[in-house]
Structures are given as structure tokens and as C-alpha cells.
């Protein structure tokens, strides 16, 4: 049967255009942040499409949106397929939307071809994956996996001043067509298609990434404190310059950490110098380190290396370093049967694939805590994401969607 | 005669307290920025004190304030002694005020002891030395030395939104007692007492610094541009990380420039990473370099070294560097007869002294362009300046003022 089935590529590409128009930016990207009016509009649009096809629509108290197509056996846990609809403030058209619309295309294709699956298949759009208007990211899948909304979210305020509670309730209220269900439910498996957000598939010309897991991430907040003094009047022997420490230690770490281990990621994305005057030695340098690795003990080991390096470097120049862990997300390893199912789907679709880790976190990371999850990556141009220039070739969207269809049918049978 | 003369130390210290109250901050510092109401109040206070002693008060179109005590020969160019009354936003009580009030104490001491000098002695308080509310710094002395106000100052706006033109006119209007005179006039010499703003006199326990010149300063604005990408998904071989370039090049420069030459100063006081997300490789790193040396050709040489290092380092990692010179102040070398006069005054006062360069710029740098200038430095605690904790021991203020008196008498005779 599946060999006869194919998805409706032009419908999928049309949907991508239609959703890209909701919050479109001048530069061709999307600004559709979580729980905004535009986010609600995207949810409503998807709900309308679902109801036109006769699918039932649900939402849970975390504003996760579900679209259900029944299987033969209503009592079997369903296969969940999806991603998210919210975007970064200067985001692209594909991050999240592609996975959600491919999942919906899978549902429509099943319906078009009257394919009866054993299990129900549900499309999901998780709330606030990006985490830029309200932190943390992956709120919807986190609450879904936990079965409850963390109490401290009640006091969250957006970067634009809006209260999380109010925005969540308004978002829920804007979708009266959706039946409310409780948070979390038994599932057979979860599949998520996503753009790679990195350059390797494109560079290696491979259309399908079979994701084996999501690497662990730890964020460190580093402060090195010295003493501010006049740039012109302070000779070297009187300087306690924290920037000198930071330059030296970072040069060491850039030169050793990533070059020595292909699985580690080491990134300094933020730095500030206080007081920040051109003619003053800084009193303090603040910086962040984003450290990733598929193995927890490796993260611990690099963490210790970083702490030692800063502490010794600071002492060398009369400074003091302080390092705080501000975020720690353990790695997720996808179950091998799901990985094999995705791989088999790519083969069946006649598409080259390679196994790879996800460097970014995704809703699948959280869902994997309560049910086997898997992911399909498709190439994106220059590895660009979180960027208005984010681009996926139409062919890659269609092929990825086809692999997702085959994997879904397999899991739902 | 001078051996009998001594300044009135308690009067000087009382004046320092009185002026520190104008714009006093909670932490014991001063916020009396140029051309504000508080700056006008300080000018008015000094004017009242001058008029009580029968001195004549002048101001010029740049709001430089002058207090004149006539000498025997009214047609001889006067000796100018002074500094500035404006402060940093979180400034100390001594930066500028000490030199201005010591100069006024010199004038009062001459008057107390009825010492007739050949030349008139004039106290000056230059407008906006600090340059923090309106840039550049040393506006008053710059206009004074140039004999005109640069045309482009007309459009300047303060950090608090005020227009330079309006604030200048209001400041001039707030002092109707002062007779207007034109910008610049023939001078015999200029003397300025100032706190060292560095730690060396205090550490070496020397009360008098005989300043031989002011080192040259060049500011470079450095940008290194790479490509922003996701911290988790981008492997080392795909990274064009400008922060890696900056860390490596700065580590090199910190390790070579200052250690190899005791006269050079190399400081990175500002840095920013764009976009500045914890989980993104920066697209661009911006930083500033403050480079100082007493010799112009040395500044040119280090400038070239810096440019080469960044350009090669950037190329190594697929980045591009751009360096713009945003400020360039040639060194000033004080005339040897003035230096010797200051040195002789310290000896006469029985005070240890050492010759030294000024690392910071001062009004003396500009005045030196039109007449021989000299400076006396006094120690300050921990080298701290531009800081509310700035502190000068009473003894050091009084001793410095005494040396200033003796040098002034010598120059005016």
C-alpha cells in the first residue's frame, strides 16, 4: 500500500507559504512569538484546516494543540507527530512550522488515501518552543511530559511586559472549537520533523538526517573580577585586568576543547565589560559559555576544565573568577527501534540518510521522557536558522514529509 | 621671602569640602557634570570667593572662568594656574577641583602675604574637561588654545538630551559678574596641579610628581565579522567564529605589547558580541583598544602590529576584521625650563619628587600648544580616579599646593 501513496507536495508548499504570511517580516522571515495574537492566528488557521477535513481538535491547559485522526483501535495509545508553530522574533519560515505542517500533511494524506491505521495518529503543535518571549523554551512539551504546569510559570512576564498567565488564558480562549483535554496522555511514539539548523546535510548532500538523540547542554555564566583603573595611568605591574585573563583563558579553551573532541560544542555568545569605558581597564568581565556533548560525563569533565582554567588564570593576574551553572539539560538518546523505523522509512522512500545527533534541543527531548521519540532532519541552506534568511529547498521539504509519512504509517500499524 | 610664606592648609581643605558638597553623591563622590546647574553653582561659588578678595573675574565664550590678581607690570603676559570644576557622573572630589582650588589658594596666599609678582597671576577653571556629558573632553582648553569654538560643536547634544549651545549660553548667562573677554590671550606659562589618577606616587611614597609630558593616545574601534550560527548544531569545521579570533589575537597582544615595553599602555575597555545570544556563535565582535605611548612613532608601530594581528587572525578562521581610528591625540612634551621650575619648587618645599609622564590627558595638553605648560601630580589612594572613592590625603593636598605656590611665584617673578 505505502508504495502507491505519496504526499501532496504542492499542498504542503502552499501551506508553508500561508503560514509564513502570519507574522511575515519585511526580510522574508517570520515574527510569530509564542502566545501572541499572531501565534493564536496560526493555531486558528490550523484548526480550521483540520475541521474542514473532519479531524477532531483538542487543546490542553498548556495550549498544546492536537488534531486527531482515529485509527482502527480507539483504545490503543496514538502516534503523535508534530513540532511547534511559534517563531523567534527574527525567525525563519521553517523552524517549527515545517514539522507541524508536514505532520498535518501526513494526516491529510492518510485521509486522501483512506488509509486505515491501527492506532490513531495525532498532530501536535507544542506551545512556546522558542522560549524568547517567555523563558524557558519548550514550555508546552515540558508541561506535557511532566503532566503539570510548573507553579513558578504563574509569575512569568514577557520581554514585552505581558503576563504569561493572561496570555496563556487568552490563547486558550481564542480556540473555543478545540475540546479541552488534560495534560499528558499515553502515547505509542512521537515523531518530529525539523530543519537541521546546521550545515552538515546540505554540505554532504544528504536529504534525510536520522536523529539518534539530542546532545546535552550546559550553560555557564562566568564572571572575572579585577580592578578598574585608568587606561593611561596604570602601568602593567599595577593592573588587575580581567579582560587579560579572559582573553588568555578563552584562547586556551578555543585551542583545546573543540579541536580535541569532534562531539563537543563550545561557544561564547555573550560578553560584557563593566564599566565599559574605552579608557578604563574593566572591573569585571561577564561572559556565557554554551557547552554541549552527547555524554553527560564529558560535559562534567569539560565543565571542570573550564572552571580550573578560569580560576588559575584569574589568580595569575590578581583577579577572581566565579562560574555559575545557569542551565543544564541532560542529553536524550532516542530508542533504537524508533531510530531504525525512521531509517527504514528513508530507505523505503529511496532517500539517502545519515544518523546524526541534534545539537539543538527540541520538543522531542521532553516527549522522549514519557514515550519513545524520534526525529527526522531535513537540510537547510547554509545551516542558517533563527534567521529571517532561513531556507529549505521545496524538494527537501517534500521528501522529508514523505519519509515522515512512511515512518508514521509504520508506527501506527 | 617665599621661605616665610606658607599656604593656609585648613582654608584649602575647607574649600575642598565646600565644593565637594556641590553635586555630592551618597557614596562620598561628586556628580557635577559640565554645563549643568551644579557646574554653574560651582562657578558662581568660586566667583563669589574671588570677588570677596577683590580679584577680577572674567569668562570667555567657551565658559572658561578666569580670576586675575594683577602683577607689577600689567602689560606682561600673565602666569595661568588652574584646572577644571566639572566632574564625571560618578566622579571623585579631587579630579579637577583640587587643581582649581589649589590655584585659588595660591592667589589668596599671595594676597594674604601681599606678595607683589612681576606678572599677573590668573586662576582658570576650564569648561568640560571630562567630556562625559558632551564629548570631546577638554573642550574649554581646546577652544582656548585654538582661539575659536569648532563649528561642529553647535550641533552637539548631551547624553541627557540637552543641547550644547543652550547649555553653554545658560552657563555664561548665569555669571553676569564675570567680564567677557575673547578666547585665548598671550600667556607666560600655565601650571596645573592634578591628582595622579594612577598608583605610582602612593606606592613609592613620593609626594610630588613632576610631569614631563602627556603621552599620546589613540583609540581603535575593532570589528571582527564572522557568521552567526547555532551553538549546538555547528561543528568546528563549519564555524566562522569571530570570538575565537578575538580571544586568540588579544591573548597574543596582552602577552607581547605591554610586557615588551614599559612605556606603552594597551587596554580593551569595551566589547560587545552581536547578536549576543547565549546559544549563538556571534556574527560580529566589536571592541575598543586604547593605546598610549610618549612617542608618536611607537604608537604608529603598535597600531600596525594590532592591525596585522587582527587581519591575519580573522583570515585564519574565515572572518574579516575592520579597524577604525576613532581618536588620536599626539603626545605633549613639556618644556624643560618649566619642568625644572616645578622640580626646583619641590626641592625648595623640602618634598621628594620624581619626574613622570601623565597617562591621562589634561587641559595642560591643549594649553601647551600655545604656551609652555607644566603639571604637578599629587598621590591618590590606590590610584583610584573617576570613582566616588577617589581620595587624596590632606597632607598631600597641602604639600602639593605649597609646591604649586613656589613654582607660580618663580614663574611670575
Amino acid at each position: 500500500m505505502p508504495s502507491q501513496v505519496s504526499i501532496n507536495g504542492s499542498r504542503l508548499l502552499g501551506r508553508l507559504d500561508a503560514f509564513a504570511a502570519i507574522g511575515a517580516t519585511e526580510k522574508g522571515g517570520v515574527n510569530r512569538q509564542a502566545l501572541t495574537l499572531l501565534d493564536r492566528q496560526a493555531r486558528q488557521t490550523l484548526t480550521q484546516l483540520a475541521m474542514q477535513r473532519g479531524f477532531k481538535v483538542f487543546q490542553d491547559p498548556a495550549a498544546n494543540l492536537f488534531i486527531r485522526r482515529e485509527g482502527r483501535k480507539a483504545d490503543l495509545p496514538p502516534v503523535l507527530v508534530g513540532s511547534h508553530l511559534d517563531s523567534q522574533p527574527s525567525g525563519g519560515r521553517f523552524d517549527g512550522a515545517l514539522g507541524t505542517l508536514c505532520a498535518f500533511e501526513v494526516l491529510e494524506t492518510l485521509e486522501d488515501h483512506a488509509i486505515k491505521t491501527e492506532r490513531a495518529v495525532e498532530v501536535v503543535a507544542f506551545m512556546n518552543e522558542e522560549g524568547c518571549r517567555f523563558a524557558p523554551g519548550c514550555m508546552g512539551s515540558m508541561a506535557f511530559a511532566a503532566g503539570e504546569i510548573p507553579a513558578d510559570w504563574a509569575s512569568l512576564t514577557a520581554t514585552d511586559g505581558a503576563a504569561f498567565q493572561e496570555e496563556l488564558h487568552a490563547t486558550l480562549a481564542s480556540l473555543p472549537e478545540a475540546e479541552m483535554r488534560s495534560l499528558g496522555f499515553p502515547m505509542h511514539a512521537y515523531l518530529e520533523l525539523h530543519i537541521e539548523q546546521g550545515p552538515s546535510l546540505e554540505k554532504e548532500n544528504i536529504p534525510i538526517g536520522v536523529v539518534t538523540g539530542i546532545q546535552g547542554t550546559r550553560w555557564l555564566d562566568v564572571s572575572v573580577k579585577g580592578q578598574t583603573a585608568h587606561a593611561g595611568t596604570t602601568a602593567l605591574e599595577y593592573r588587575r585586568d580581567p579582560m587579560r585573563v579572559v582573553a588568555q583563558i578563552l584562547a586556551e579553551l578555543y585551542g583545546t576543547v573543540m579541536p580535541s573532541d569532534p562531539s563537543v560544542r563550545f561557544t561564547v555568545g555573550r560578553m560584557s565589560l563593566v564599566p565599559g569605558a574605552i579608557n578604563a581597564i574593566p572591573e569585571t568581565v561577564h561572559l556565557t559559555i554554551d557547552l554541549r556533548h552527547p555524554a553527560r560525563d564529558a560535559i562534567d569533565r569539560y565543565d571542570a576544565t573550564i572552571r580550573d582554567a578560569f580560576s588559575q588564570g584569574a589568580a595569575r593576574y590578581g583577579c577572581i573568577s566565579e562560574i555559575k551553572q545557569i542551565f543544564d539539560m541532560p542529553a536524550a538518546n532516542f530508542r533504537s527501534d524508533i531510530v531504525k523505523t525512521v531509517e527504514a522509512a528513508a530507505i523505503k522512500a529511496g532517500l539517502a540518510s545519515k544518523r546524526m545527533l541534534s545539537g539543538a534541543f527540541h520538543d522531542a527531548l521532553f516527549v522522549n521522557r514519557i514515550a519513545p521519540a524520534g526525529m527526522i532532519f531535513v537540510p537547510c541552506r547554509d545551516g542558517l536558522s533563527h534567521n529571517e534568511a532561513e531556507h529549505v529547498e521545496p524538494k527537501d521539504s517534500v521528501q522529508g514529509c514523505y519519509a515522515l509519512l512512511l515512518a508514521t504509517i509504520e508506527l501506527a500499524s
Side-chain angles (χ1 to χ4, degrees), chain A:
Chain A
M1 170 179 68
S3 63
Q4 312 297 320
V5 181
S6 71
I7 66 147
N8 184 336
S10 60
R11 178 172 61 194
L12 172 63
L13 299 173
R15 293 270 155 79
L16 280 166
D17 287 343
F19 277 76
I22 306 171
T25 62
E26 280 184 13
K27 292 184 182 172
V30 172
N31 179 359
R32 189 172 63 228
Q33 293 183 72
L35 305 182
T36 57
L37 290 174
L38 289 166
D39 187 23
R40 291 172 212 167
Q41 194 183 326
R43 290 159 47 86
Q44 283 154 355
T45 304
L46 188 60
T47 299
Q48 292 312 314
L49 292 171
M51 294 178 72
Q52 283 162 21
R53 296 298 307 243
F55 301 140
K56 204 153 182 193
V57 180
F58 302 86
Q59 59 182 344
D60 66 19
N64 296 315
L65 177 66
F66 301 90
I67 300 166
R68 181 176 174 98
R69 180 172 185 267
E70 290 298 344
R72 277 205 191 88
K73 298 180 179 162
D75 55 334
L76 286 181
V79 172
L80 206 59
V81 195
S83 191
H84 60 96
L85 285 173
D86 67 305
S87 85
Q88 291 273 324
S90 297
R93 306 160 49 123
F94 300 94
D95 176 359
L98 179 64
T100 308
L101 297 175
C102 280
F104 188 68
E105 176 60 34
V106 165
L107 223 59
E108 290 199 278
T109 299
L110 294 175
E111 191 68 12
D112 293 343
H113 296 264
I115 298 169
K116 265 289 166 206
T117 52
E118 289 294 298
R119 298 173 182 278
V121 177
E122 292 199 8
V123 170
V124 61
F126 286 113
M127 183 269 285
N128 189 25
E129 195 268 350
E130 297 294 354
C132 27
R133 188 169 177 239
F134 297 101
C138 296
M139 273 186 165
S141 51
M142 199 183 293
F144 179 77
E148 59 178 11
I149 294 180
D152 57 349
W153 290 2
S155 57
L156 286 178
T157 306
T159 47
D160 54 21
F164 174 73
Q165 286 282 55
E166 286 172 28
E167 294 291 79
L168 177 64
H169 290 150
T171 302
L172 290 168
S174 72
L175 212 62
E177 307 90 329
E179 189 177 313
M180 278 300 291
R181 55 158 67 151
S182 52
L183 262 170
F185 50 82
M187 258 186 311
H188 179 58
Y190 172 65
L191 282 181
E192 179 168 1
L193 180 144
H194 206 279
I195 63 170
E196 182 194 351
Q197 303 185 290
S200 77
L201 291 174
E202 185 195 39
K203 300 235 173 182
E204 298 169 36
N205 198 23
I206 295 174
I208 300 290
V210 177
V211 184
T212 57
I214 299 179
Q215 64 189 355
T217 301
R218 187 171 293 173
W219 288 352
L220 302 176
D221 186 272
V222 181
S223 298
V224 183
K225 191 176 179 310
Q227 185 172 47
T228 186
H230 195 292
T233 58
T234 316
L236 184 56
E237 65 260 41
Y238 300 124
R239 292 190 176 214
R240 291 165 49 203
D241 184 346
M243 190 57 225
R244 188 181 180 194
V245 175
V246 167
Q248 194 169 329
I249 301 311
L250 287 185
E252 255 176 63
L253 294 171
Y254 278 115
T256 53
V257 175
M258 284 180 73
S260 68
D261 179 349
S263 298
V264 71
R265 301 284 176 268
F266 172 88
T267 305
V268 175
R270 277 190 191 159
M271 193 177 304
S272 63
L273 280 60
V274 178
I278 297 179
N279 60 349
I281 296 162
E283 177 85 10
T284 311
V285 177
H286 300 282
L287 60 112
T288 58
I289 293 176
D290 178 304
L291 184 64
R292 307 198 188 202
H293 199 283
R296 169 138 217 149
D297 61 340
I299 291 197
D300 289 340
R301 203 169 62 241
Y302 288 114
D303 182 317
T305 302
I306 291 167
R307 286 172 194 269
D308 284 355
F310 274 103
S311 142
Q312 288 166 24
R316 200 147 59 228
Y317 300 118
C319 297
I320 293 168
S321 71
E322 189 185 3
I323 299 190
K324 284 183 211 155
Q325 178 180 305
I326 52 175
F327 180 74
D328 190 41
M329 175 81 67
N333 293 297
F334 295 154
R335 234 170 62 182
S336 66
D337 54 345
I338 298 282
V339 172
K340 283 177 190 157
T341 300
V342 170
E343 203 162 41
I347 292 168
K348 204 165 186 177
L351 297 169
S353 70
K354 73 160 189 171
R355 292 189 175 207
M356 60 191 300
L357 273 167
S358 171
F361 25 98
H362 293 287
D363 292 310
L365 190 153
F366 294 92
V367 181
N368 192 56
R369 294 180 180 174
I370 54 166
M375 290 189 78
I376 295 175
F377 275 173
V378 295
C380 57
R381 189 166 62 200
D382 296 332
L384 279 183
S385 185
H386 292 191
N387 190 313
E388 291 165 274
E390 182 185 270
H391 179 75
V392 175
E393 286 300 314
K395 183 172 66 93
D396 289 323
S397 292
V398 170
Q399 288 178 342
C401 186
Y402 184 47
L404 182 68
L405 170 73
L406 299 182
T408 304
I409 290 172
E410 179 63 28
L411 288 168
S413 294

